[in-house]
Amino acid sequence: MNKKFKLEEYIEIINNYIDKAVPECFFGEDIVHQAMKYSLSVGGKRIRPVLTLEFCRLCGGDINKALPFAVAAEMIHTYSLIHDDLPCMDDDDMRRGMPSCHIKFGEEYALLAGDALLTRAFGVLTESEASPEAVVKAVSLLSELSGVSGMIGGQVVDLKNEDKPCTIEVLETMDSLKTGALIKCASLLGVIVAGGNAQQYEAARCFSENLGHAFQIVDDILDVIGDEKELGKPIGSDRESGKSTYVSVLGLEKSQQYAKDITAKAIEALSIFGDDADFLKELAEKLINRKN
Ligand code: GRG
């Protein structure tokens, strides 16, 4: 069994790598580098990179080789948040209790910082000492699940349904792509770097699909009953914009129960790992009870 890590230890390892992952600017410290570093460093929970490292560990891999994969997923996540906050998307001024990237650096530089994080993510991936086969698989999976067949595709469904009530089916399709695809990708990258077997891959897929689903339901719940200070952004934005959410479609109580049931399914998928999966079980429980 590989050495186990605490959540804080993983976060420290990830943050140290992130500090080095944005390249130095050849013409001095410019505004896009500052914007990239700002958005990467302000208060994210690091859920996606933690999933990569822990699945790698669970499957018997070396987490040092998984670190570039983990940070690549976090860079894609960060770029999506920067672009999502832009005036042409959700137009949000605050993120994680701080001014959004475009409020701090201007719209044009926020756009470029997001683009630069997206492109740099694929560069970081190739810096892993994992096998060339694993790196190629990782590039392919990250491109698919963060692109138009994954996260971007989910954003398109979201935009198309912005002002109209949608069915639970549309909501689930949208969220499985917009939120779920990258969470799944981060988890599977861990299995890939470790050279995990088909059974481990399937367990990671099932866990992360359910976790991503529950994660989005909790996100919708927090927009209704969350605390603005803890959330770091105003609540009620979904209702104000007329957006359909799990709460608007199912109601608050049913949404809370739904999130619990799906989390239980996620945890069940980890049974092949036995007690070694305790960290992920606790993480899933923490995420369902999170305040931000
Ligand atoms: C590329 C513009 C563009 C959008 C893609 C992912 C996405 C669609 C938009 C991001 C905004 C959003 C509400 C996504 C849903 C997923 C979600 C709940 C993101 C927040 O993730 P956390 O809580 O963030 O892990 P932290 O701040 O902890 O990093």
Side-chain angles (χ1 to χ4, degrees):
M1 198 187 284
N2 267 352
K3 174 184 178 301
K4 290 191 176 186
F5 292 86
K6 295 197 177 102
L7 184 59
E8 311 79 70
E9 291 174 318
Y10 270 146
I11 290 176
E12 197 185 338
I13 294 170
I14 291 160
N15 288 346
N16 286 340
Y17 198 90
I18 284 180
D19 282 345
K20 290 180 269 163
V22 176
E24 290 307 312
C25 178
F26 66 90
F27 48 89
E29 183 74 354
D30 80 319
I31 192 164
V32 174
H33 283 75
Q34 286 172 27
M36 290 164 82
K37 288 180 182 169
Y38 173 78
S39 290
L40 272 175
S41 64
V42 212
K45 294 185 288 300
R46 309 293 194 219
I47 302 304
R48 295 152 193 81
V50 165
L51 287 170
T52 308
L53 298 185
E54 180 61 6
F55 269 109
C56 169
R57 189 200 68 78
L58 260 182
C59 297
D62 172 358
I63 67 151
N64 291 309
K65 293 182 183 172
L67 205 41
F69 287 24
V71 168
E74 186 68 2
M75 283 184 161
I76 301 268
H77 166 60
T78 306
Y79 118 74
S80 79
L81 298 181
I82 295 176
H83 283 190
D84 194 58
D85 289 339
L86 286 172
C88 63
M89 294 280 171
D90 275 3
D91 195 9
D92 282 323
D93 290 355
M94 296 294 282
R95 165 76 56 190
R96 302 162 173 163
M98 303 282 281
S100 306
C101 191
H102 67 278
I103 296 295
K104 189 147 172 86
F105 296 95
E107 217 175 303
E108 64 279 52
Y109 291 110
L111 182 76
L112 291 173
D115 291 342
L117 284 168
L118 165 60
T119 44
R120 177 68 189 129
F122 286 91
V124 169
L125 263 189
T126 65
E127 288 160 17
S128 167
E129 286 175 10
S131 69
E133 291 78 13
V135 173
V136 169
K137 267 192 200 166
V139 168
S140 168
L141 191 76
L142 188 61
S143 148
E144 181 195 333
L145 292 180
S146 64
V148 78
S149 315
M151 186 179 78
I152 300 277
Q155 183 73 354
V156 175
V157 180
D158 192 350
L159 287 170
K160 292 250 175 217
N161 288 281
E162 227 172 13
D163 302 325
K164 45 183 175 217
C166 46
T167 61
I168 187 82
E169 288 79 16
V170 172
L171 207 54
E172 295 197 312
T173 304
M174 175 172 90
D175 293 334
S176 70
L177 296 170
K178 193 177 89 163
T179 311
L182 194 57
I183 289 178
K184 175 163 78 175
C185 182
S187 305
L188 295 178
L189 288 177
V191 184
I192 289 172
V193 72
N197 61 33
Q199 204 193 7
Q200 291 168 329
Y201 196 89
E202 181 52 22
R205 185 199 60 73
C206 185
F207 170 78
S208 57
E209 281 184 1
N210 284 298
L211 185 81
H213 194 176
F215 191 83
Q216 183 58 51
I217 299 170
V218 173
D219 205 64
D220 289 355
I221 293 171
L222 287 175
D223 192 62
V224 178
I225 58 164
D227 177 274
E228 296 202 345
K229 262 209 179 127
E230 283 178 294
L231 261 183
K233 59 178 186 181
I235 64 162
S237 57
D238 291 337
R239 200 179 48 219
E240 262 169 45
S241 62
K243 205 167 153 180
S244 291
T245 67
Y246 287 96
V247 180
S248 71
V249 174
L250 297 176
L252 182 60
E253 270 176 34
K254 275 196 180 153
S255 299
Q256 286 167 324
Q257 189 55 48
Y258 196 26
K260 275 188 196 155
D261 294 346
I262 293 168
T263 300
K265 262 196 195 169
I267 289 174
E268 206 181 298
L270 298 171
S271 61
I272 64 155
F273 298 109
D275 291 347
D276 203 20
D278 284 353
F279 175 96
L280 285 178
K281 290 179 196 162
E282 279 167 31
L283 184 70
E285 298 285 358
K286 251 187 216 159
L287 289 181
I288 201 179
N289 294 313
R290 72 196 162 95
K291 303 278 178 258
N292 69 11

